[in-house]
Amino acid sequence: MASKQKPRPSASPKILDWVSLIALFPLFVTRWSISFLFSNHKPLRWRQKCALTFLRTQRTTFPAPLLRWLIRRVSTGTTIRDYCSKHNITHRTITLPVSATDIYDEILPPGVLHVLTLQSDEAAAPTLLYFHGGGFVNPLRTPHMPFIVSCGHAARAKQIIILEYSLAPEHPYPSQLIQCVASVSHLMSESSGLGIPSKDIILAGDSAGGTLVGSVLSHMQKPSPYASKLPVVEFRAAVMISPFVRLHKESMDAPGGSYRVNEKRDYLTRRQVDEFGEAWKGDDKEIWANLCGADGAETVWQAVFRGKGGPKLVKKVLITVGTAEVFLDDCRFFGGELHTNSATVIAKQSNNDWLDKLGDGERILVECEGEAHVQPVLDAALGYKEGVMTRAVMTWLNML
């Protein structure tokens, strides 16, 4: 079947756009310097503050359409290939079959699996399957790569597989769900030539990618009509970094809630969350899009994580969130209140006592003091490896 992928709506910048970019640059530098010098993010180190204030200042200074074009001009595949070439990482691609279902008749372009081979001496070394973030709208960014590769090494993985999925608004929900399910199916299928046992697969993702990890797991327990069915199996682990887990507006409007309290601390704002949601068009009545806000969510997650009413689908789960995130309340509910017998670890820069608690349970929620949305990717942009969330993820993976 021929691909019906639509052209991206963001046209190339015009001359006036570039003029405005140049004209606004001095203002950007001034704002960034002031924001950095007078930042009140006390728990963060200087490099973390630098990256956070850079993003906040960038998004409040330059026109959104121009920033969107700059972000989307380089595809996920190009970023991965360039990084692997620069760092001498063996890389190959696998094109997934084109997906279509009776209930969803849009013919999607095929997803692409990027396979990065790592050196591992362990016979039963796992495979890390990673879904990148970006609000379902933006491709994987260059700072993602050192973080993802570090995750692979921490887990002693033999390979990292990154899914290059189709982006909204050209391909809205449930396009990404369909392609993620197809990627998992392909990895486990003997006919694909891979035949990786589920016990050797670690599912991981950040932000929207963390959402997609949840989408796959909920689909296995409660199959979506949009995607092909998956066998009921147990994965080695799942990592959800700053996941977007609830679409309900009530959590955004709650007085004293994290959307209001942290909007001036996080670089991600409610307006941006709304824009991503409008482009993605996730259905708030369906658990595959609204992980903890859809009807019956508690029953589904009790089954996924505890095996209540059926087999457990994942052996161990890590959820991380920064205390400066707009998603803090929703992640607390999803990672704590929604799941009984889960453990919450309060992680701080000031000491390392919390690291030993990461092995206390099968389901761990780590609240990282003062850190912002997907802080490890921000840290990776400046080569900082001592961030709380970064250490939490790496230490936990190393314990598997």
Side-chain angles (χ1 to χ4, degrees):
M1 290 181 289
S3 170
K4 290 186 179 180
Q5 185 162 12
K6 305 166 190 173
R8 293 179 178 178
S10 303
S12 300
K14 298 178 182 178
I15 293 178
L16 287 178
D17 293 321
W18 291 112
V19 170
S20 68
L21 178 66
I22 296 171
L24 289 170
F25 189 74
L27 176 62
F28 165 75
V29 173
T30 302
R31 284 180 170 179
W32 182 20
S33 301
I34 293 173
S35 296
F36 176 70
L37 291 173
F38 295 96
S39 170
N40 61 354
H41 291 274
K42 293 181 180 180
L44 301 185
R45 298 296 188 256
W46 72 266
R47 278 186 283 185
Q48 293 180 300
K49 293 179 183 179
C50 182
L52 180 56
T53 54
F54 177 90
L55 281 181
R56 287 188 57 84
T57 307
Q58 180 190 62
R59 291 181 174 182
T60 56
T61 303
F62 299 115
L66 180 59
L67 291 178
R68 191 177 304 117
W69 181 85
L70 290 170
I71 291 172
R72 287 168 61 98
R73 77 189 193 283
V74 180
S75 70
T76 293
T78 298
T79 298
I80 295 173
R81 283 189 289 270
D82 289 349
Y83 183 88
C84 290
S85 175
K86 183 177 179 181
H87 293 85
N88 297 316
I89 298 174
T90 302
H91 166 261
R92 64 188 177 96
T93 60
I94 299 172
T95 301
L96 295 172
V98 176
S99 300
T101 63
D102 292 338
I103 195 171
Y104 185 71
D105 58 6
E106 175 74 18
I107 299 177
L108 296 176
V112 176
L113 297 178
H114 294 266
V115 183
L116 284 61
T117 302
L118 305 182
Q119 300 300 322
S120 177
D121 297 329
E122 295 189 26
T127 291
L128 179 72
L129 175 60
Y130 200 93
F131 305 140
H132 71 82
F136 308 102
V137 170
N138 295 324
L140 174 146
R141 309 288 298 280
T142 300
H144 273 97
M145 290 304 299
F147 171 67
I148 295 172
V149 171
S150 294
C151 286
H153 286 301
R156 301 175 297 281
K158 62 182 177 183
Q159 60 188 352
I160 298 169
I161 299 180
I162 304 171
L163 172 64
E164 181 177 7
Y165 56 80
S166 298
L167 302 175
E170 299 88 344
H171 299 284
Y173 175 83
S175 302
Q176 297 74 31
L177 166 64
I178 294 170
Q179 292 175 329
C180 286
V181 169
S183 70
V184 173
S185 178
H186 196 79
L187 260 62
M188 295 191 297
S189 172
E190 293 289 347
S191 62
S192 70
L194 295 174
I196 303 171
S198 61
K199 65 181 180 60
D200 292 335
I201 297 175
I202 300 171
L203 302 176
D206 66 276
S207 192
T211 309
L212 291 171
V213 170
S215 298
V216 169
L217 292 172
S218 59
H219 168 71
M220 290 179 67
Q221 205 285 322
K222 182 181 179 180
S224 164
Y226 306 123
S228 58
K229 286 189 177 182
L230 290 172
V232 178
V233 295
E234 183 182 58
F235 294 104
R236 178 176 293 205
V239 183
M240 302 170 73
I241 302 163
S242 302
F244 178 40
V245 295
R246 184 173 0 216
L247 296 179
H248 282 185
K249 299 294 184 182
E250 293 85 74
S251 63
M252 296 184 180
D253 296 330
S258 58
Y259 271 92
R260 295 195 178 192
V261 172
N262 286 339
E263 190 161 26
K264 293 185 178 180
R265 302 176 67 200
D266 200 356
Y267 65 90
L268 188 65
T269 65
R270 171 175 175 162
R271 179 178 177 180
Q272 288 171 318
V273 174
D274 284 340
E275 289 174 352
F276 289 147
E278 288 172 5
W280 181 49
K281 301 186 186 306
D283 191 332
D284 65 2
K285 296 182 178 62
E286 298 182 348
I287 191 169
W288 316 290
N290 192 10
L291 301 187
C292 67
D295 290 342
E298 182 174 0
T299 301
V300 170
W301 293 114
Q302 291 290 336
V304 169
F305 293 138
R306 295 183 60 203
K308 189 174 181 180
K312 187 169 60 172
L313 302 184
V314 62
K315 188 174 182 180
K316 290 190 174 184
V317 181
L318 174 70
I319 301 167
T320 67
V321 64
T323 61
E325 285 198 52
V326 294
F327 290 164
L328 177 60
D329 289 347
D330 290 343
C331 286
R332 276 177 172 166
F333 179 76
F334 180 73
E337 297 174 46
L338 190 62
H339 308 138
T340 56
N341 300 327
S342 61
T344 298
V345 174
I346 307 300
K348 298 183 178 183
Q349 286 274 20
S350 55
N351 62 66
N352 293 326
D353 296 344
W354 56 272
L355 287 169
D356 293 333
K357 299 178 182 178
L358 293 176
D360 285 352
E362 294 182 347
R363 292 173 301 284
I364 301 289
L365 168 67
V366 182
E367 297 183 11
C368 304
E369 184 184 36
E371 296 201 332
H373 185 60
V374 195
Q375 187 72 51
V377 175
L378 272 67
D379 293 349
L382 295 178
Y384 184 63
K385 299 180 180 180
E386 299 302 318
V388 171
M389 200 178 299
T390 297
R391 285 189 292 154
V393 174
M394 301 306 164
T395 302
W396 188 84
L397 286 171
N398 196 250
M399 289 179 174
L400 293 176

